[in-house]
């Protein structure tokens, strides 16, 4: 009877020091711009250059879309917060942030596993690659990634948002992250945390195991290659994906399954910042610098403009 409905939340964000907040605004604005431009450039290159119309770049195109959506879900409101113009967020807006955050994060978990399978087929079964990874299979795998992310993201978000919230309404984060919002619920959230852990097992540990198995087979195939050029080509195609996998899964497991997960707001902010800004801005850089075909497509686009 003492519960009151919460209509909005206050995002505490980062430091209250005005000078530090201004510096953070400048740094985060640059990273967000790099995320938008880098991922958009990768998307455009893949669409325009016929040499990049292959399964690997098809999935990379979806990864670029995910990175743009992921960053755009959280960062604009965070930048307003740093300027002191957007600390409050409505309950519906907070729910939307949680929902989209979960959808994009879970979709990327599945998509990275799909990309490792693509590399496994390309390196371990090169003669049957075009037959196995045909257009229908690629579309199906991409659709399954998005469908799994949407279904389980919607399930977690709906269960969290149906909890009673009766104040305080201050979220110790720079956006409505699900663990930070659960701390404000006026009831026991053990069931929600158990569900989050179960989803992490399904979307983090299981896909990571599949990725490791794929790369063990890839490593065994690489060791049978006697050509130095073959070694270099194989490592160049797999190195970029392994780098992204290590950054993404390592931080996700540490944040949601590590000891004391959900208890340290400072750690949650840093790791969420990595997901929202640093990783999406680095992904295009990693792929473009380590991938010869992407660099050639970029040079071709520059010559066409001239």
């Amino acid at each position: 009877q003492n519960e009151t409905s919460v209509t909005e939340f206050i995002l505490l964000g980062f430091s209250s020091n005005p000078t530090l907040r201004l510096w953070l605004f400048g740094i985060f604005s640059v990273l967000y711009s790099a995320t938008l431009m880098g991922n958009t450039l990768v998307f455009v290159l893949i669409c325009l250059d016929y040499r990049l119309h292959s399964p690997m770049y098809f999935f990379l195109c979806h990864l670029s879309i995910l990175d743009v959506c992921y960053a755009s879900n959280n960062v604009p409101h965070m930048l307003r917060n740093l300027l002191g113009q957007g600390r409050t967020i409505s309950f519906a807006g907070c729910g939307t942030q949680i929902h989209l955050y979960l959808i994009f994060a879970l979709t990327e978990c599945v998509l990275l596993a799909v990309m490792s399978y693509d590399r496994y087929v390309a390196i371990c079964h090169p003669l049957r690659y075009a037959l196995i990874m045909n257009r229908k299979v690629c579309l199906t795998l991409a659709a399954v990634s998005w469908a799994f992310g949407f279904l389980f993201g919607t399930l977690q978000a709906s269960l969290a948002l149906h909890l009673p919230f009766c104040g305080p309404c201050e979220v110790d984060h720079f956006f409505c992250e699900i663990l930070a919002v659960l701390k404000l619920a006026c009831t026991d959230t053990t069931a929600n945390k158990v569900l989050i852990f179960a989803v992490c097992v399904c979307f983090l540990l299981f896909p990571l195991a599949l990725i490791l198995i794929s790369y063990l087979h890839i490593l065994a195939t690489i060791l049978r290659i006697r050509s130095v050029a073959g070694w270099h080509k194989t490592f160049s195609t797999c190195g970029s994906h392994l780098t992204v996998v290590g950054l993404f899964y390592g931080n996700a497991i540490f944040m949601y399954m590590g000891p004391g997960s959900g208890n340290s707001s400072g750690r949650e902010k840093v790791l969420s910042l990595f997901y929202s800004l640093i990783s999406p801005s680095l992904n295009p850089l990693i792929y473009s610098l380590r991938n010869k075909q992407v660099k050639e497509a970029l040079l071709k686009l520059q010559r066409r403009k001239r």
Side-chain angles (χ1 to χ4, degrees):
Q1 291 179 353
N2 293 329
E3 292 179 1
T4 57
S5 59
V6 173
T7 58
E8 64 179 18
F9 291 100
I10 300 174
L11 300 174
L12 298 183
F14 296 96
S15 172
S16 58
N17 187 316
T19 304
L20 179 59
R21 290 165 68 93
L22 197 59
W23 274 100
L24 290 176
F25 174 81
I27 295 171
F28 296 161
S29 296
V30 171
L31 289 174
Y32 182 52
S33 300
T35 298
L36 296 181
M37 291 187 294
N39 285 285
T40 302
L41 179 60
V42 170
F43 179 84
V44 171
L45 288 175
I46 293 173
C47 291
L48 294 181
D49 198 315
Y50 70 93
R51 293 174 300 177
L52 302 181
H53 292 177
S54 65
M56 182 178 75
Y57 296 105
F58 172 76
F59 296 125
L60 177 57
C61 193
H62 281 267
L63 182 63
S64 297
I65 295 172
L66 274 172
D67 284 339
V68 170
C69 295
Y70 204 87
S72 299
N73 179 44
N74 307 329
V75 177
H77 200 283
M78 178 188 68
L79 295 177
R80 289 181 58 205
N81 191 331
L82 289 171
L83 292 178
Q85 299 176 356
R87 293 190 66 197
T88 60
I89 183 171
S90 66
F91 186 87
C94 187
T96 301
Q97 277 196 347
I98 293 176
H99 192 193
L100 294 179
Y101 168 81
L102 292 171
I103 289 175
F104 299 142
L106 296 178
T107 301
E108 187 161 347
C109 289
V110 181
L111 186 64
L112 289 174
V114 168
M115 293 174 73
S116 72
Y117 173 72
D118 171 71
R119 291 299 83 208
Y120 159 74
V121 176
I123 294 170
C124 299
H125 304 283
L127 299 180
R128 295 192 296 157
Y129 178 65
L131 179 64
I132 297 175
M133 299 300 294
N134 56 63
R135 181 177 178 83
K136 183 178 179 180
V137 170
C138 291
L139 290 173
T140 301
L141 291 174
V144 167
S145 301
W146 284 95
F148 273 35
F150 179 80
L151 289 175
F152 285 90
T154 301
L155 174 63
Q156 283 197 84
S158 61
L159 290 177
L161 295 173
H162 278 84
L163 294 173
F165 295 92
C166 51
C169 55
E170 293 182 342
V171 181
D172 191 9
H173 216 290
F174 63 86
F175 79 103
C176 286
E177 196 272 332
I178 187 168
L179 293 178
V181 174
L182 285 178
K183 295 177 183 178
L184 306 181
C186 303
T187 186
D188 184 23
T189 58
T190 302
N192 298 81
K193 293 178 180 178
V194 169
L195 176 62
I196 291 174
F197 187 84
V199 170
C200 286
V201 171
C202 295
F203 281 83
L204 289 176
L205 297 187
F206 184 63
L208 183 59
L210 294 179
I211 291 172
L212 293 177
I213 292 171
S214 298
Y215 275 100
L216 285 176
H217 285 283
I218 290 173
L219 180 61
T221 303
I222 290 174
L223 294 177
R224 293 195 294 266
I225 299 176
R226 298 181 179 181
S227 167
V228 177
W231 274 64
H232 179 74
K233 182 178 179 180
T234 304
F235 278 117
S236 66
T237 56
C238 296
S240 301
H241 181 253
L242 270 177
T243 303
V244 174
V245 165
L247 293 173
F248 184 85
Y249 283 95
N251 282 275
I253 291 173
F254 184 73
M255 179 173 178
Y256 289 101
M257 305 186 72
S261 58
N263 296 325
S264 174
S265 60
R267 183 180 71 173
E268 289 177 14
K269 290 179 186 179
V270 172
L271 293 176
S272 297
L273 186 65
F274 179 90
Y275 281 113
S276 302
L277 267 179
I278 300 175
S279 181
S281 63
L282 285 179
N283 285 351
L285 195 63
I286 292 170
Y287 278 103
S288 61
L289 287 180
R290 298 177 65 101
N291 194 295
K292 182 180 177 181
Q293 287 180 302
V294 174
K295 289 189 288 186
E296 290 177 350
L298 181 58
L299 292 174
K300 181 179 177 182
L301 181 63
Q302 289 176 338
R303 288 196 296 266
R304 186 181 300 176
K305 287 184 177 180
R306 291 174 183 173

